[in-house]
Amino acid sequence: MMGYMKDTITQLKNTALEAIAAANSLKETEELRIIYFGKKSPFTDILKSLKNLSTEEKRKIGPLANSAKIEVQEALKAKTEALESQFDAESEWIDVTAPGDKKNSGHLSPLTIVQRDIEEIFTSMGFEIADGPEVETEFYNFDAVNVPADHPARDMQDTFWAKNAVSKDSSEKECEQFVLRTHTSSVQVRYMELHTPPYRIIIPGRVFRQEATDASHEHTFHQFEALVVGDDVSVANFLSVAETFFSQFFGKKLKIRLRPSYFPFVEPGFEFDISCTNCGGKGCSSCQQTGWLEIGGAGMVHQNVLVAAGYERDQYTGFAWGFGMERLAMMKYKIDDVRHFHSGDIRFTKQF
Ligand code: DAH
């Protein structure tokens, strides 16, 4: 029995040492570690079987098995360390003069770029960014912003109405027809209901109109709304915010001009222009020689809108504006047709 055990140990040790000597990768040394010292280690088996031997035999075989195990362990450790420290010049060699491996990266849509620019400028002025649903209730899209039921803006011509619009919700507001929101003004009252003034927000988002499309009209486009409500908000505040924003956005000092106009959700209401980004106001072909570029609608928030949100009449004042993001991108990048944005033509986006 003893002779047999001795042979087994020697054989095991020699086989292991040979395998270790032959290994020339860390993968192989790791495999050997698992074979010889993993869960089913042959050394453990040997040490376990010692219990069948007499005390005298144990005294001889025990140290033999142990020293074989240690010898193999050390050989494996030495080999692993040697492999780890080996510097493989060939595989690590790089040609620093070789041309780069050009990755094909995607392109941001000019709209995304413009939206990010807008958000950055406004957040730097302390504005928050708000959001709302694109499929909107008639209430938030129209009633809440003071567009009465007989207003032409509700007409089937202007708006996409959803079929089967009656919601299961028992609240009166939700039991209405749904529309694809026609403007981002629909988020105004949603936000007001959940917040107490003062606040300043912008609402960028997608809107929909039943339009005959042409170079400046699309059925799907983007607007961004600004809304500031507080104790003493004035038209002067609007002018200052607008001037700061447009000057930063176009990277040059611009002036703002107001023209009286009508929007149901503001009183007084106006349309506003910026001094021409091309000629600075002298008059050129971009501004039809007027020196001004039309931007969008704005005004002091109508008290009916604040009341629709649950505020007391005349408790707060505010200003709001809204206009097309595509239009802004078209002005900045000199894009001549709004239909490019949704054309899916990759040659268009690749330019930005
Ligand atoms: N919602 C208007 C539109 O889509 C734009 C607008 C005008 C928004 C005046 C406003 C505003 O907040 O004060 O045509």
Side-chain angles (χ1 to χ4, degrees):
M1 179 70 186
M2 217 171 95
Y4 167 75
M5 290 284 286
K6 258 188 187 169
D7 288 349
T8 313
I9 294 169
T10 317
Q11 213 175 21
L12 176 64
K13 183 180 86 177
N14 290 343
T15 322
L17 291 176
E18 267 168 41
I20 292 168
N24 52 25
S25 72
L26 288 170
K27 187 169 170 270
E28 285 171 78
T29 51
E30 175 58 10
E31 277 164 14
L32 291 171
R33 188 192 64 78
I34 293 167
I35 293 173
Y36 290 103
F37 304 106
K39 268 197 180 144
K40 287 188 179 155
S41 163
F43 288 106
T44 315
D45 288 346
I46 289 173
L47 291 171
K48 270 190 201 153
S49 66
L50 291 184
K51 64 174 187 299
N52 304 327
L53 303 180
S54 68
T55 320
E56 201 185 321
E57 286 172 326
K58 269 186 203 155
R59 232 177 252 149
K60 284 193 180 143
I61 297 293
L64 196 69
N66 248 334
S67 74
K69 182 179 167 190
I70 290 167
E71 200 178 327
V72 173
Q73 241 165 0
E74 280 175 357
L76 187 62
K77 188 167 165 242
K79 185 63 182 248
T80 308
E81 282 172 1
L83 286 171
E84 273 169 355
S85 67
Q86 214 171 58
F87 174 65
D88 182 356
E90 196 152 319
S91 73
E92 293 199 10
W93 185 82
I94 43 165
D95 179 0
V96 289
T97 66
D101 196 3
K102 194 162 182 268
K103 297 274 179 296
N104 246 348
S105 60
H107 295 266
L108 290 181
S109 151
L111 272 179
T112 309
I113 300 174
V114 163
Q115 182 169 340
R116 288 184 185 177
D117 287 352
I118 293 172
E119 291 179 353
E120 202 172 305
I121 298 170
F122 273 97
T123 47
S124 80
M125 291 197 274
F127 279 67
E128 278 181 39
I129 300 164
D131 200 6
E134 290 177 354
V135 181
E136 186 53 284
T137 63
E138 191 177 2
F139 175 78
Y140 288 112
N141 197 77
F142 294 128
D143 299 82
V145 287
N146 202 32
V147 179
D150 56 1
H151 195 279
R154 291 192 180 208
D155 202 291
M156 299 293 256
Q157 313 301 313
D158 297 319
T159 311
F160 293 111
W161 292 91
K163 277 189 183 164
N164 309 326
V166 179
S167 144
K168 292 192 183 68
D169 191 310
S170 59
S171 92
E172 217 176 277
K173 288 173 199 167
E174 302 295 332
C175 279
E176 288 170 292
Q177 280 209 278
F178 289 96
V179 297
L180 295 187
R181 68 176 177 194
T182 58
H183 51 189
T184 43
S185 308
S186 59
V187 186
Q188 285 193 14
V189 170
R190 280 190 179 274
Y191 187 90
M192 288 174 180
E193 284 176 338
L194 300 175
H195 299 85
T196 309
Y199 45 73
R200 39 198 155 161
I201 58 167
I202 55 165
I203 309 155
R206 187 157 53 169
V207 302
F208 310 86
R209 301 268 171 96
Q210 152 80 294
E211 291 278 7
T213 59
D214 61 27
S216 50
H217 294 89
E218 258 286 28
H219 49 73
T220 302
F221 58 104
H222 296 73
Q223 285 190 332
F224 98 87
E225 193 90 2
L227 175 71
V228 174
V229 181
D231 286 332
D232 263 318
V233 180
S234 68
V235 177
N237 296 141
F238 161 78
L239 275 172
S240 141
V241 169
E243 202 175 285
T244 310
F245 167 70
F246 286 102
S247 298
Q248 283 201 31
F249 183 80
F250 286 104
K252 55 177 83 161
K253 186 103 188 84
L254 296 174
K255 282 190 286 199
I256 307 288
R257 177 175 82 168
L258 305 184
R259 288 175 286 113
S261 185
Y262 170 75
F263 298 98
F265 22 92
V266 281
E267 177 57 34
F270 32 84
E271 277 174 69
F272 66 105
D273 307 330
I274 55 172
S275 48
C276 177
T277 53
N278 198 33
C279 64
K282 287 192 225 51
C284 67
S285 57
S286 302
C287 56
Q288 276 104 32
Q289 312 302 331
T290 62
W292 297 97
L293 298 171
E294 279 181 31
I295 291 284
M300 300 308 292
V301 179
H302 201 294
Q303 287 299 324
N304 287 355
V305 176
L306 298 165
V307 168
Y311 302 158
E312 252 172 62
R313 190 171 292 279
D314 295 327
Q315 189 183 3
Y316 298 111
T317 52
F319 74 74
W321 84 42
F323 55 83
M325 216 133 70
E326 277 83 352
R327 180 158 164 67
L328 219 52
M330 287 167 81
M331 285 161 67
K332 187 159 185 172
Y333 297 113
K334 311 236 182 300
I335 297 165
D336 59 359
D337 193 321
V338 69
R339 290 169 293 191
H340 286 311
F341 290 99
H342 297 286
S343 65
D345 188 340
I346 203 106
R347 291 170 306 175
F348 172 68
T349 26
K350 267 191 167 173
Q351 300 172 74
F352 299 95

